[in-house]
């Protein structure tokens, strides 16, 4: 059993063999000469006159440089120890800064060794003055920076390698992105078509896609969709969706039926991997021989509504209410609507990167109402004019555009007998 007094007993002496428990040895260590501390310090010491002439240098620095003391003290100036580049930096930066501030800290220089090698160092210098402020002496501490320089070179190499990899990835991403979109929209007899794809980040493959292609019965099919997520997985889903939609129109001309087939394919795929979902809007365009223009049937699966810009200058949404996100449940509902596109009318399909962009200066989302107002100010307009206006709108968001945006516009040219079409009124802007 221990007593309270036991808790205050001194610790036993260290191993006597170490010598540290010997009071005489501790005293000898404490009385180590200042000269020995100066000469054999783990850094270099250097004292010069104001003109740079060396009057004192320690053994550590002499050893680093490979010089003899008698060849340096009183014979060389501090600048003589520097490389050509180091001397230039000393004269243009180091010395002027030292004269103004009386001290400098952690200045990177290179010393030249007796064998012609280079020694990267960090130098701290202070000016000692007399009572009147006249410089008497410059004292410098020199630290070996070889390990630090190696680390900095390795860090720079890694940074360059990362930048090369980023550029390589950007090229791969751009190439992959191009394969997910049609190289160019096919000309459609009796229609004016235009499209735009704006990538928010060049480092990621987006999930937006669109297409316009002829059917065997003389009609035309179109779709525009948005896969949730980015990267290679989103690209796989995008490719699967495009293939399924194109092949589905061969067996069934009804857009809602094609979307139901795509939903069945996606839900089956999602059973074996991480689920991926998409919103989509798909339609068919059939020439209307009685009234002119085209009969448009649209089916939507959880996608933002299309905008119809009429020849009379009005604009409204083509709602497909009830359409569900694809890939979630096997029996998702697909909403459908039919409308007549008359000469002078245009249709705008878009992904939500447009409406969810943030307005510069406010941070607020652009929103569906602002886009509808934008379309109302733009109508009537051709498909080319619509896409050009949307491009300007996207440019105005700047960094507020944080998601990819796909746009597909289709217009029925105005008939010559309708007279000269009224020019479009000024479009909206991202700041409105």
């Amino acid at each position: 059993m221990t007593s309270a007094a036991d808790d205050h007993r001194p610790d036993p002496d260290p191993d006597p063999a170490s010598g540290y428990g010997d009071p005489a040895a501790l005293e000898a260590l404490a009385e180590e000469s200042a000269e020995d501390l100066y000469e054999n310090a783990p850094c270099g010491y250097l004292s010069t006159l104001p003109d740079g002439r060396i009057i004192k240098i320690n053994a550590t620095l002499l050893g680093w440089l490979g010089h003899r003391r008698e060849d340096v003290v009183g014979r060389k100036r501090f600048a003589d120890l520097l490389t050509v580049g180091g001397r230039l930096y000393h004269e243009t930066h180091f010395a002027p800064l030292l004269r103004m501030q009386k001290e400098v800290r952690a200045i990177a220089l290179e010393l030249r060794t007796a064998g012609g090698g280079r020694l990267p160092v960090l130098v701290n210098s202070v000016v000692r003055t007399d009572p009147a402020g006249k410089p008497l002496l410059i004292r410098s501490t020199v630290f070996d920076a070889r390990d630090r320089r190696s680390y900095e070179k390795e860090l720079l190499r890694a940074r360059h390698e990362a930048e090369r990899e980023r550029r390589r990835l950007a090229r791969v991403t751009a190439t992959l992105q191009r394969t997910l979109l049609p190289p160019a929209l096919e000309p459609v007899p009796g229609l004016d078509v235009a499209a735009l794809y704006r990538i928010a980040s060049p480092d990621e493959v987006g999930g937006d896609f669109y297409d316009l292609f002829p059917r065997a019965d003389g009609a035309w099919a179109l779709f525009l969709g948005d896969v949730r997520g980015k990267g290679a997985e989103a690209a796989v889903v995008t490719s699967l969706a495009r293939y399924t939609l194109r092949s589905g129109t061969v067996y069934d001309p009804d857009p809602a039926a094609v979307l139901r087939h795509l939903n069945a394919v996606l839900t089956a795929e999602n059973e074996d991997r991480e689920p991926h979902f998409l919103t989509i809007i798909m339609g068919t365009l059939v020439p209307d021989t009685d009234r002119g223009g085209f009969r448009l049937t649209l089916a939507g699966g959880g996608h933002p509504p299309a905008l119809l810009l009429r020849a009379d200058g009005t604009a409204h949404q083509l709602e497909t209410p009830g359409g569900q996100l694809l890939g979630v449940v096997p029996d998702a509902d697909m909403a459908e609507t039919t409308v007549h596109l008359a000469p002078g009318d245009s249709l705008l399909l878009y992904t939500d990167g447009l409406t969810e962009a943030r307005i510069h200066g406010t941070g607020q989302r652009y929103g569906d109402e602002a886009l509808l107002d934008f379309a109302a100010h733009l109508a009537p307009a051709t498909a080319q004019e619509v896409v050009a206006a949307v491009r300007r709108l996207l440019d105005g968001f700047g960094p507020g555009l944080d998601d990819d945006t796909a746009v597909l516009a289709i217009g029925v040219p105005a008939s010559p007998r309708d007279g000269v079409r009224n020019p479009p009124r000024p479009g909206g802007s991202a700041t409105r």
Side-chain angles (χ1 to χ4, degrees):
M1 180 175 181
T2 60
S3 65
D6 293 330
D7 295 334
H8 297 284
R9 286 183 299 183
D11 292 333
D13 290 339
D15 182 4
S18 68
Y20 297 131
D22 185 354
L26 291 174
E27 184 177 355
L29 289 174
E31 293 180 357
E32 184 180 15
S33 70
E35 184 65 22
D36 184 66
L37 285 173
Y38 175 85
E39 290 293 340
N40 300 300
C43 59
Y45 287 122
L46 186 73
S47 297
T48 68
L49 296 176
D51 64 0
R53 196 169 357 142
I54 299 171
I55 60 174
K56 195 172 184 181
I57 185 171
N58 75 341
T60 300
L61 185 53
L62 287 170
W64 289 349
L65 299 176
H67 288 308
R68 297 184 304 172
R69 193 182 305 272
E70 57 269 25
D71 295 334
V72 175
V73 176
R75 292 177 176 272
K76 292 182 181 292
R77 287 178 167 79
F78 176 56
D80 297 332
L81 302 180
L82 301 172
T83 61
V84 174
R87 285 198 296 271
L88 180 63
Y89 187 83
H90 178 270
E91 295 301 323
T92 59
H93 293 80
F94 185 94
L97 196 61
L98 185 60
R99 284 194 295 269
M100 287 188 298
Q101 299 182 351
K102 306 305 180 187
E103 68 174 357
V104 291
R105 303 284 180 184
I107 300 297
L109 293 171
E110 280 193 331
L111 302 181
R112 185 162 47 90
T113 67
R118 294 168 177 263
L119 175 67
V121 295
L122 293 177
V123 180
N124 294 338
S125 294
V126 295
V127 179
R128 181 182 175 187
T129 61
D130 64 12
K134 180 180 179 181
L136 297 176
L137 195 69
I138 300 173
R139 290 173 174 166
S140 299
T141 306
V142 182
F143 298 94
D144 186 346
R146 281 174 291 192
D147 289 342
R148 171 171 173 162
R149 180 66 60 84
S150 297
Y151 169 75
E152 290 174 344
K153 287 182 177 179
E154 180 61 24
L155 187 63
L156 184 61
R157 186 201 64 78
R159 183 180 299 171
H160 288 163
E161 182 63 29
E163 180 60 24
R164 284 193 295 270
E165 180 63 20
R166 190 198 68 78
R167 290 195 296 267
R168 186 194 68 80
L169 179 61
R171 290 194 297 270
V172 172
T173 299
T175 302
L176 180 57
Q177 192 76 68
R178 285 195 296 270
T179 66
L180 301 177
L181 298 174
L185 292 176
E186 294 190 46
V188 181
L191 284 178
D192 174 30
V193 298
L196 171 67
Y197 192 100
R198 179 64 61 88
I199 298 175
S201 171
D203 298 328
E204 291 185 299
V205 179
D208 294 8
F209 61 96
Y210 61 85
D211 207 348
L212 174 66
F213 55 95
R215 292 191 333 200
D217 59 359
W220 286 76
L222 61 94
F223 57 77
L224 182 141
D226 182 4
V227 176
R228 294 310 186 210
K230 293 181 180 294
E233 285 294 322
V236 171
V237 177
T238 299
S239 181
L240 174 64
R242 291 187 69 241
Y243 172 80
T244 304
L245 291 170
R246 268 185 167 262
S247 61
T249 59
V250 175
Y251 302 101
D252 197 324
D254 179 35
V258 176
L259 292 188
R260 283 191 290 270
H261 175 62
L262 174 60
N263 181 68
V265 171
L266 289 176
T267 52
E269 287 286 324
N270 286 341
E271 292 178 357
D272 300 324
R273 57 173 170 78
E274 181 182 352
H276 282 276
F277 316 114
L278 64 84
T279 66
I280 192 165
I281 191 165
M282 183 174 186
T284 57
L285 288 160
V286 179
D288 192 326
T289 55
D290 296 330
R291 295 184 293 173
F294 285 78
R295 186 174 72 256
L296 169 69
T297 300
L298 283 180
H303 199 82
L307 294 179
L308 181 58
L309 286 68
R310 288 295 192 183
D312 62 5
T314 61
H316 64 273
Q317 296 177 335
L318 290 180
E319 296 286 355
T320 49
Q324 293 179 299
L325 195 71
L326 272 66
V328 180
V329 293
D331 54 349
D333 290 331
M334 299 300 148
E336 197 171 76
T337 187
T338 299
V339 67
H340 177 246
L341 290 182
D345 292 345
S346 293
L347 180 75
L348 173 62
L349 307 178
Y350 58 93
T351 56
D352 59 10
L354 175 57
T355 53
E356 292 186 359
R358 296 189 182 276
I359 301 173
H360 181 66
T362 68
Q364 296 179 345
R365 300 289 186 185
Y366 185 61
D368 296 329
E369 291 185 5
L371 182 60
L372 180 58
D373 184 52
F374 169 86
H377 280 76
L378 188 63
T382 66
Q384 299 290 340
E385 291 169 340
V386 170
V387 169
V390 172
R391 179 181 287 108
R392 293 191 296 270
L393 177 64
L394 294 173
D395 291 340
F397 290 125
L401 187 66
D402 53 13
D403 193 11
D404 294 349
T405 301
V407 172
L408 177 62
I410 297 168
V412 181
S415 302
R417 63 177 177 271
D418 293 334
V420 178
R421 187 177 57 85
N422 293 329
R425 293 189 289 272
S429 68
T431 57
R432 185 169 55 190

